[in-house]
Amino acid sequence: MTFKKLSLISSVFLLTFFGEIAVNIACGGEIDPYDYYISYFHNNIEGDEYAPFAFNEMVYLNSEEDVESEPDINSREWAKYLNIKKEDVLKVMYKADSATSVKLANFDGNLSQLPDSLQQNSFIQALSKRKAPLKYYLFAKSCEPLANVEFSLWDAAPRDTAAMAAKANEGLKLTADEKDDFLKLRYAYQSARMFHFGGYHAESKSTYEKYIKPSKLNSAVKGWGLALYAGSTRRLGNPEESAFLFSKVFASNPERRVQAYKNYYYNSTPVNGALKYAKTDNEKANIWAINGFGNADSGIESIQKVYQYEPKSQLNGTLLVREVNKLEQDLIEANDIAKIAYNYYFSDNGGSKYKDSLKAVNLKHLNEIRNFAVKLATEKKYPQPELGTLTAAYLSWMENKDFMAANYLAILKPDKLPERLRDQYRITDLLIKAKNIKKGSPFNENDLLPNLKWLDEKRFAENKTQPNGQYYDYGGGAEKRFSRTTRNFYQQILAPAYLSLGDTSKAALAMVKGDIGYKTLKENSLFQNMSYQTIAFWQKNLSPKSMQGLAVYKTKAAGNDVTALLASALNQLKNDDFYELYGTTYLRTHQYDKAVQMFAKVSADYKYFAPENWYGDESNSKLYANPFIETINDYPKQYVAAKTSVTKKAFAAEMLRLQKLLVSDKKNAATYYYKMANAVYQTGYYGNSWFLISYDWSSYDNSAPAKFVYDGDYKKAQTAKAWYLKARSLSTNPDFKAKCTFMLAKCLQKQIIMNAHPLSFSYYDKTDVKWKNFIKANYNNPYFIELRLNYNKTPYYQVAAGDCSYLRDFIAAKSRK
Amino acid sequence: MRKISILVIFAFFLLGCKQKPVIHPTFYYWKTDYRNKPAETAYLNQFKSKSLYVRIMDVDFKPDVQQAAPVSPIKFSDPAPSGIAIIPVVFIVNNVFNKIDSQQTGILASRIAKFVDDKVKQAGKQNYTELQIDCDWTKTTRASYFKFLKELKANPLLKHKAVSVTLRLHQVKNVVSSGIPPVEKAMLMCYNMGNLRKYGEQNSILDQHEMNLYLKDFLAQYPLQLDVALPIFEWAVVFRNQEYAGISKHISKTVLQNPKLFRQRGNTILFDLLVDYPTAGLKKDDVVRWEEISASNLSTTAKFLSRYLKPEERNLVFYHLDTDLLKHFTHDDFQKIIAYL
């Protein structure tokens, strides 16, 4: 790959990668490092041996906890040596509080010195009876104050290296004199450790070489000693050898694997540096594996090398699963069903060409991994060759080669698979089948039902107790794999499929199903339990027709099909939010009679949404709608107090009343149209009642193009304009007509602003041609022209000119001509 | 009549003689391990120095922990000499003030105060009376740095103690953009005034031309009380293909005088390397600029400064205390320099 291509690809990757992250951050909360890309391939199906090294680009290690516990291992060794209980050793060595620890450091074998709870402890009793282990124990305790110093950057006290050296030499003498191998090894370890911490690295190394390395014991302590030795090697200026030695610790001591991995990398040597010292296949495999674990790009080289040297090792499985996760991150595009991504931040900067070349690179990677997976499966050297077949199936699905995916899957016998592979089989099967949900396909979605029910159970098992908090739980945490898979399936696969079939209601249903991870809900209002994507999809995208469809689906929860499964999820939730939204969709389409009906179904004590007043104090914390006012200036917005606020319900009722009067009192129709126009104008972005039809408001909204049904009112003042025109045409009063004309000018101005793309220029740069055009368009508003031509003698004209600076400037400019 | 005229003439002599201000000579100690070397302590005694400026630590911004942290703090293998007070010095890399925000300057000040306090006690001293902050601040870091100094002064550990700062030549000239730090006293650093990394024959440590440029018209007006720091160090600046390549730890004057290795260029301080010299990591055709300071350089500098400095008591601090450096000067040399200031 040429440098140019590489830099091109990496810069595009970085742009899209960080761009996507930025959008996620802008739109959602903080990134969850275990849920930052769409994934269906669980990262632990190969086993847990190398769990800390599962792929994760958001954190240094997927987990910092080793798969085995050092306290456990050490306690077991002591328990075996003294023929006592492991838990007793653990309690004394690792779980004593500081006061007890002091007593223990002074323990001379006399049980009465210690608290009752310890007198019965078998480890303590053994120490009281045997001189040599007790002597070692006390020596080890005497090293503790020197070793257990908390590191602080700003601590001025230097390490007491002199005391450490003295301790180490004392230990060396004890090592030499000790005949018992078990204790001898440990004395040597303490000495090497003291030398190491004191900075006496040559002495630390020679202690290891003389006493630890030749020990015939099969003990984890040898590995810990090797870790010190490797560290001293690094301090003495041999990074490559140090890296090699740490790779040995990585292989032999699972309780020190994370430490060994980190220290391998502190040496900053290339893979060939450590390889120089590797003699056996196992050593080479581990070095290549460590390199693979630290690689966020394609790891095909490492995985092939590890397989070449140690085909049986679980390292292969871990590396393979990592590659699949990387490919998921690179190839699976998140579906923005709610259309919430802000397009104008990352619009195509000649993007498609770069996107294509990036995709080509990723597909090449996919093919390499699939080929390897097939090799793993067919050669049967790896203990679970089915992992390879499963991987090949999944990767083929990712590549949209469904036929190939199904064929790979067909090779496997799910009943014979180990549990995790069997689970992954079911998920892959589900994914492949779901692709058949499309127009013209005879596929029956109910074929998916058994697997969907199974996923539900898996998800419920991960989410046994619902937290008391009110907010949607993102299903965070490394272990909630099924929660993420299930949610992703419903929201990324099923909902878009239904949408493309034209069934928006079912898509909405699937979104909800995707979010409910609990079997029972403590707090069951709809929008409190939904993710941001689902809420946005519902609140922005649904029409009265889709709500109607949902109402119908809600009656179908009793069946034994997918529809019933989805509907019963929705039915777990209270109806208030549902009917409130239903009513709002009717407000948006100006069907006020139906709106009134829907709001009647909402509980009397329902708290309708009122936006925060960011500039107000405690008593003025919310904003309340005031739609029926007449205004000349849009700004400042004129809100009211809670008492006189107009709720959606009241708004619908009043608009309905006015609508009826249009028919029954035709004489005054103009006035009614005018009032309705004012109200619907106020429900726009510029008005004080926007929250009657929209669930949020952003200062960027007036410059983003119209996307949703209610944008006609919210962004463009279209209905207001139509009704003002009607009002004007039905009236004969010139003053009234002047008012309507002025309002029409305001409506048109909303369009002028949108068309000018206000984000594309600075409002304060008066030299910018875009700014000049924008101002010109405002001042040449055709309704201003009409106003001046036909209504310049009316009283309203003077009032408007007094309050509206645009009009004033327009008049002044025209008068000068 | 005669008696009166003698009296008058005597009075004129008395008044005519310029009052020489008292100069307190001492040194900077700039190594990371304090050891009491007899030759060095002897100089302090000869000078009758009441104090020694001791570098406690550097402070730099560590990206991996996203905070300012101590770098190479001093270790006291021996206690500081008795009868001589310590003036602790903390060098802060200017970039720190680019990286930390206004909340963090206060935290930094208290951390430094505590750290210095602990270190002074490790040196075997109960207390100290002055803390010096060494930072080459710029226009952009000025506000943050001055805020830091104010917070440092307000710290309880610095009650009844003075805070002073180092001052570089450009900050004397560009008082408007550099500002005047909110302290009582500053140390004028009369060294490292030239461009170290520029290839040429100039001595970047001490350069009269630079001093003229920056101090001649400005030093007399500087409003803070000033101490003076003068260099006695030397180093070998290496250039490869006329590009700065670093300062070599392995080159000394003796090595430069080896005709098999180096050839001096005329009367300049440039030396051409004739063959590869792997011991020092150098290659043939590398050029070494040997920068050193002579007693007469320092005398000239002292004379120059005395023209513009107010006639008041001040410290004269030589950078830095090291047996090898002291070998190039005699006690008389130093006395002359002190007398000229």
Side-chain angles (χ1 to χ4, degrees):
Chain A
M1 175 170 309
T2 61
F3 177 71
K4 194 164 166 215
K5 221 176 180 184
L6 189 66
S7 52
L8 188 96
I9 285 159
S10 58
S11 56
V12 170
F13 172 72
L14 285 170
L15 183 72
T16 44
F17 179 68
F18 287 115
E20 199 256 325
I21 301 273
V23 168
N24 280 340
I25 290 173
C27 300
E30 242 176 58
I31 291 277
D32 178 351
Y34 303 105
D35 190 17
Y36 68 95
Y37 62 95
I38 307 295
S39 171
Y40 304 98
F41 204 74
H42 292 184
N43 64 4
N44 66 345
I45 60 176
E46 85 283 5
D48 291 327
E49 183 73 19
Y50 298 100
F53 307 101
F55 175 67
N56 192 329
E57 236 180 328
M58 282 289 140
V59 288
Y60 181 67
L61 279 173
N62 197 54
S63 162
E64 294 267 336
E65 229 184 275
D66 276 309
V67 298
E68 289 205 41
S69 148
E70 184 168 316
D72 245 37
I73 289 174
N74 194 24
S75 304
R76 255 185 272 137
E77 287 192 11
W78 276 96
K80 190 162 162 219
Y81 171 67
L82 293 172
N83 200 11
I84 52 170
K85 288 199 289 205
K86 168 197 142 205
E87 289 69 29
D88 283 353
V89 183
L90 202 61
K91 216 191 242 172
V92 172
M93 271 197 172
Y94 294 99
K95 295 191 177 163
D97 60 45
S98 47
T100 316
S101 185
V102 171
K103 293 209 178 95
L104 286 167
N106 295 312
F107 178 52
D108 64 2
N110 190 346
L111 285 173
S112 57
Q113 288 174 316
L114 298 173
D116 288 338
S117 52
L118 283 182
Q119 291 182 14
Q120 305 299 325
N121 183 299
S122 60
F123 180 54
I124 293 295
Q125 289 180 344
L127 288 180
S128 73
K129 294 192 196 117
R130 294 174 60 171
K131 262 212 175 101
L134 177 61
K135 187 171 176 196
Y136 168 75
Y137 178 76
L138 291 173
F139 175 74
K141 287 299 276 185
S142 74
C143 297
E144 268 183 2
L146 291 169
N148 295 355
V149 177
E150 235 190 273
F151 173 71
S152 162
L153 282 169
W154 284 94
D155 188 341
R159 282 191 217 177
D160 195 347
T161 52
M164 287 177 187
K167 214 21 108 165
N169 282 313
E170 182 189 339
L172 271 185
K173 186 154 189 317
L174 290 163
T175 312
D177 292 345
E178 182 58 61
K179 300 272 188 312
D180 181 320
D181 282 339
F182 182 89
L183 297 175
K184 193 185 187 85
L185 176 61
R186 280 165 162 74
Y187 274 122
Y189 174 66
Q190 295 288 356
S191 308
R193 196 165 79 125
M194 280 293 112
F195 276 132
H196 187 98
F197 289 168
Y200 303 100
H201 293 292
E203 291 83 342
S204 182
K205 282 183 81 174
S206 68
T207 308
Y208 174 84
E209 280 156 3
K210 195 162 172 196
Y211 294 112
I212 300 180
K213 189 166 175 187
S215 171
K216 299 229 174 31
L217 281 183
N218 181 13
S219 165
V221 175
K222 289 182 77 172
W224 309 344
L226 181 58
L228 288 172
Y229 184 75
S232 290
T233 305
R234 173 175 164 230
R235 300 285 177 192
L236 289 174
N238 291 305
E240 291 176 343
E241 191 187 350
S242 173
F244 165 70
L245 293 166
F246 277 117
S247 77
K248 302 265 299 163
V249 179
F250 177 92
S252 62
N253 291 66
E255 77 282 8
R256 286 283 185 112
R257 197 162 278 152
V258 168
Q259 183 193 62
Y261 174 86
K262 288 182 176 178
N263 276 278
Y264 176 94
Y265 278 106
Y266 293 159
N267 280 302
S268 304
T269 56
V271 66
N272 292 318
L275 281 173
K276 265 202 302 239
Y277 296 88
K279 297 214 173 58
T280 68
D281 279 349
N282 188 270
E283 288 169 352
K284 292 177 192 165
N286 274 284
I287 291 169
W288 276 107
I290 293 173
N291 270 270
F293 289 156
N295 187 358
D297 298 326
S298 167
I300 185 71
E301 191 190 12
S302 326
I303 201 176
Q304 280 173 346
K305 284 275 193 276
V306 172
Y307 183 71
Q308 175 194 337
Y309 293 121
E310 289 281 35
K312 291 207 186 83
S313 165
Q314 199 179 111
L315 289 169
N316 293 290
T318 310
L319 286 165
L320 183 59
V321 172
R322 278 176 59 90
E323 293 305 303
V324 178
N325 290 144
K326 287 179 198 172
L327 286 163
E328 287 181 311
Q329 185 189 279
D330 291 339
L331 283 170
I332 300 186
E333 265 184 61
N335 201 306
D336 185 19
I337 195 172
K339 296 196 236 174
I340 55 182
Y342 283 100
N343 298 321
Y344 43 77
Y345 280 137
F346 304 106
S347 55
D348 269 6
N349 300 317
S352 56
K353 194 163 149 215
Y354 298 148
K355 272 173 114 175
D356 284 344
S357 51
L358 190 60
K359 192 153 189 210
V361 171
N362 290 327
L363 286 174
K364 179 161 173 271
H365 180 202
L366 185 146
N367 269 297
E368 284 174 339
I369 300 303
R370 183 172 43 207
N371 289 340
F372 175 80
V374 169
K375 183 164 103 165
L376 189 90
T378 46
E379 288 184 0
K380 296 209 183 344
K381 293 184 199 167
Y382 183 72
Q384 287 189 343
E386 304 88 349
L387 175 64
T389 317
L390 197 50
T391 303
Y394 181 71
L395 289 179
S396 305
W397 171 84
M398 266 176 64
E399 209 188 354
N400 290 317
K401 294 195 171 146
D402 304 329
F403 193 61
M404 194 191 272
N407 283 345
Y408 277 122
L409 217 56
I411 298 173
L412 296 168
K413 297 182 177 31
D415 306 325
K416 301 239 161 61
L417 290 173
E419 187 190 347
R420 287 188 189 169
L421 292 185
R422 189 170 62 238
D423 286 347
Q424 193 62 51
Y425 174 96
R426 289 187 85 157
I427 292 170
T428 312
D429 186 43
L430 190 62
L431 291 170
I432 296 171
K433 290 209 172 96
K435 280 269 184 70
N436 290 309
I437 301 179
K438 54 179 177 228
K439 274 207 169 80
S441 165
F443 179 71
N444 184 352
E445 68 179 12
N446 295 320
D447 276 359
L448 302 176
L449 196 60
N451 274 344
L452 288 177
K453 285 193 166 157
W454 166 76
L455 265 187
D456 265 354
E457 290 307 313
K458 286 299 223 186
R459 179 162 66 162
F460 290 150
E462 280 178 356
N463 297 294
K464 292 237 162 74
T465 44
Q466 189 183 18
N468 284 323
Q470 280 207 312
Y471 299 98
Y472 167 73
D473 180 357
Y474 283 90
E479 304 304 315
K480 294 199 177 179
R481 297 177 180 87
F482 283 99
S483 304
R484 287 192 286 276
T485 302
T486 312
R487 179 204 67 202
N488 288 342
F489 181 77
Y490 281 113
Q491 299 187 341
Q492 295 288 320
I493 307 245
L494 216 53
Y498 289 139
L499 207 58
S500 61
L501 280 176
D503 194 342
T504 314
S505 312
K506 209 160 193 188
L509 218 51
M511 293 297 283
V512 167
K513 175 69 182 168
D515 279 336
I516 300 187
Y518 302 99
K519 207 158 190 170
T520 54
L521 297 168
K522 284 187 198 161
E523 196 321 314
N524 67 341
S525 50
L526 172 59
F527 290 134
Q528 297 289 20
N529 282 289
M530 295 296 110
S531 64
Y532 178 69
Q533 281 78 2
T534 304
I535 295 174
F537 180 71
W538 274 59
Q539 290 178 340
K540 292 180 200 263
N541 287 282
L542 298 184
S543 63
K545 183 156 164 267
S546 2
M547 296 306 287
Q548 210 168 31
L550 278 163
V552 168
Y553 278 128
K554 274 163 77 67
T555 62
K556 302 208 169 147
N560 192 18
D561 52 9
V562 172
T563 305
L565 187 69
L566 300 177
S568 28
L570 180 57
N571 285 350
Q572 271 184 279
L573 304 160
K574 272 198 305 228
N575 282 326
D576 278 340
D577 285 337
F578 179 80
Y579 283 114
E580 192 270 356
L581 177 61
Y582 204 166
T584 309
T585 58
Y586 279 127
L587 288 180
R588 291 168 176 172
T589 52
H590 318 108
Q591 294 167 273
Y592 300 109
D593 51 347
K594 302 230 168 73
V596 167
Q597 279 172 13
M598 288 309 147
F599 288 128
K601 296 193 181 176
V602 177
S603 311
D605 57 356
Y606 181 79
K607 280 209 137 74
Y608 284 88
F609 168 65
E612 288 297 314
N613 181 4
W614 300 114
Y615 302 103
D617 53 35
E618 284 274 328
S619 56
N620 250 353
S621 63
K622 296 270 188 196
L623 299 169
Y624 297 102
N626 189 13
F628 294 102
I629 57 168
E630 270 184 81
T631 60
I632 292 183
N633 291 326
D634 285 339
Y635 185 80
K637 298 191 186 196
Q638 294 174 42
Y639 296 101
V640 289
K643 271 207 205 117
T644 47
S645 72
V646 178
T647 60
K648 285 185 184 182
K649 207 168 162 175
F651 175 68
E654 175 64 7
M655 292 299 271
L656 181 61
R657 188 188 75 90
L658 290 169
Q659 245 178 359
K660 290 196 175 135
L661 283 170
L662 284 173
V663 178
S664 65
D665 185 9
K666 285 210 166 63
K667 205 167 33 110
N668 293 312
T671 316
Y672 302 131
Y673 269 120
Y674 179 72
K675 284 194 171 147
M676 286 169 63
N678 281 342
V680 98
Y681 180 87
Q682 288 298 333
T683 63
Y685 168 90
Y686 295 91
N688 63 38
S689 307
W690 53 267
F691 40 99
L692 294 179
I693 62 170
S694 172
Y695 288 88
D696 58 34
W697 184 99
S698 153
S699 58
Y700 290 116
D701 282 342
N702 67 334
S703 43
K707 273 194 276 195
F708 309 113
V709 136
Y710 58 99
D711 281 339
D713 283 336
Y714 180 65
K715 293 186 182 177
K716 293 189 187 173
Q718 273 171 342
T719 316
K721 180 159 169 253
W723 288 346
Y724 282 128
L725 279 170
K726 265 245 119 97
R728 186 170 75 165
S729 66
L730 289 172
S731 168
T732 50
N733 181 333
D735 202 51
F736 180 81
K737 284 165 94 103
K739 244 197 303 195
C740 292
T741 310
F742 180 75
M743 296 303 174
L744 285 165
K746 278 174 67 178
C747 291
L748 190 59
Q749 187 204 32
K750 308 313 161 225
Q751 297 264 29
I752 292 172
I753 293 173
M754 262 191 75
N755 293 342
H757 305 295
L759 280 187
S760 65
F761 61 93
S762 161
Y763 192 71
Y764 302 100
D765 182 0
K766 303 205 171 147
T767 58
D768 190 339
V769 66
K770 284 192 189 146
W771 183 89
K772 289 187 190 159
N773 287 340
F774 174 65
I775 297 297
K776 199 161 124 195
N778 273 293
Y779 286 158
N780 288 309
N781 192 320
Y783 288 110
F784 278 173
I785 298 173
E786 272 196 51
L787 204 55
R788 186 170 166 277
L789 230 51
N790 300 332
Y791 303 105
N792 58 12
K793 300 280 193 295
T794 61
Y796 187 79
Y797 185 77
Q798 303 304 327
V799 171
D803 282 352
C804 174
S805 63
Y806 278 130
L807 180 58
R808 203 161 47 241
D809 291 344
F810 165 79
I811 296 167
K814 293 298 174 195
S815 324
R816 275 202 290 275
K817 271 221 186 111
Chain B
M1 187 62 191
R2 205 154 154 226
K3 278 197 189 139
I4 293 173
S5 41
I6 291 172
L7 202 66
V8 168
I9 292 165
F10 184 68
F12 270 127
F13 271 122
L14 209 63
L15 293 169
C17 287
K18 200 163 159 203
Q19 288 285 50
K20 239 350 189 158
V22 180
I23 305 293
H24 302 288
T26 181
F27 290 89
Y28 270 112
Y29 190 88
W30 213 259
K31 297 188 206 162
T32 50
D33 186 359
Y34 181 78
R35 283 173 200 276
N36 193 333
K37 299 224 179 96
E40 294 168 10
T41 313
Y43 251 104
L44 289 173
N45 291 329
Q46 274 183 327
F47 278 178
K48 297 198 181 53
S49 305
K50 298 205 184 73
S51 51
L52 176 66
Y53 286 79
V54 179
R55 172 199 163 275
I56 299 297
M57 60 181 165
D58 290 2
V59 175
D60 200 356
F61 188 80
K62 292 262 173 80
D64 44 347
V65 289
Q66 284 295 300
Q67 42 171 297
V71 177
S72 308
I74 192 171
K75 182 170 93 164
F76 287 95
S77 290
D78 296 321
S82 57
I84 296 176
I86 283 188
I87 298 180
V89 183
V90 175
F91 174 74
I92 306 180
V93 176
N94 182 44
N95 194 37
V96 167
F97 294 105
N98 278 323
K99 293 287 188 180
I100 65 176
D101 65 31
S102 55
Q103 299 265 23
Q104 294 164 313
T105 51
I107 295 172
L108 181 62
S110 51
R111 282 177 175 169
I112 288 178
K114 178 90 191 17
F115 198 95
V116 166
D117 209 67
D118 287 342
K119 278 293 175 191
V120 167
K121 294 211 165 69
Q122 280 171 24
K125 298 290 175 193
Q126 291 309 330
N127 212 348
Y128 61 97
T129 53
E130 181 186 329
L131 166 62
Q132 184 175 89
I133 302 294
D134 182 359
C135 176
D136 189 4
W137 82 94
T138 55
K139 200 163 75 171
T140 49
T141 55
R142 161 184 163 177
S144 193
Y145 176 52
F146 287 7
K147 178 166 187 278
F148 160 80
L149 288 171
K150 290 200 187 107
E151 283 158 342
L152 188 61
K153 279 167 63 175
N155 188 294
L157 285 172
L158 275 122
K159 206 163 178 181
H160 306 310
K161 297 184 172 78
V163 174
S164 67
V165 298
T166 54
L167 195 62
R168 287 161 176 78
L169 302 200
H170 69 91
Q171 286 150 349
V172 174
K173 178 170 179 217
N174 302 317
V175 167
V176 174
S177 58
S178 299
I180 302 188
V183 294
E184 289 80 44
K185 205 157 68 119
M187 172 86 65
L188 182 66
M189 313 197 58
C190 289
Y191 50 93
N192 293 346
M193 47 188 72
N195 190 341
L196 170 71
R197 290 160 205 250
K198 185 168 147 208
Y199 180 72
E201 297 165 18
Q202 77 282 8
N203 185 325
S204 72
I205 302 178
L206 199 61
D207 186 322
Q208 188 57 52
H209 176 74
E210 295 289 315
M211 278 196 285
N212 280 343
L213 212 59
Y214 284 99
L215 297 179
K216 197 168 97 174
D217 297 327
F218 305 98
L219 184 57
Q221 288 101 287
Y222 200 80
L224 294 181
Q225 190 190 345
L226 291 176
D227 290 329
V228 173
L230 292 177
I232 56 171
F233 64 94
E234 56 194 19
W235 55 27
V237 189
V238 181
F239 292 90
R240 182 165 296 165
N241 300 323
Q242 304 200 358
E243 300 251 322
Y244 173 76
I247 291 170
S248 176
K249 293 196 187 103
H250 306 276
I251 304 283
S252 65
K253 200 159 182 187
T254 330
V255 173
L256 287 172
Q257 281 160 348
N258 181 343
K260 290 210 181 83
L261 291 171
F262 286 96
R263 183 180 58 226
Q264 186 173 8
R265 271 196 218 175
N267 279 336
T268 68
I269 52 173
L270 295 174
F271 292 78
D272 292 290
L273 182 55
L274 304 169
V275 293
D276 279 354
Y277 189 35
T279 324
L282 299 183
K283 292 192 159 78
K284 178 170 181 286
D285 295 332
D286 282 350
V287 177
V288 170
R289 183 173 68 214
W290 178 249
E291 297 186 345
E292 64 178 12
I293 309 297
S294 69
S296 72
N297 291 147
L298 289 177
S299 297
T300 314
T301 307
K303 270 189 238 164
F304 169 81
L305 291 172
S306 74
R307 292 218 291 272
Y308 304 103
L309 288 172
K310 296 187 184 61
E312 57 191 8
E313 193 177 341
R314 71 185 83 254
N315 289 323
L316 171 56
V317 191
F318 293 98
Y319 180 90
H320 61 117
L321 187 61
D322 178 279
T323 318
D324 292 329
L325 295 177
L326 290 169
K327 287 197 187 116
H328 305 311
F329 301 88
T330 65
H331 188 69
D332 275 348
D333 289 331
F334 280 120
Q335 290 305 331
K336 266 208 203 101
I337 297 162
I338 295 165
Y340 280 134
L341 191 60

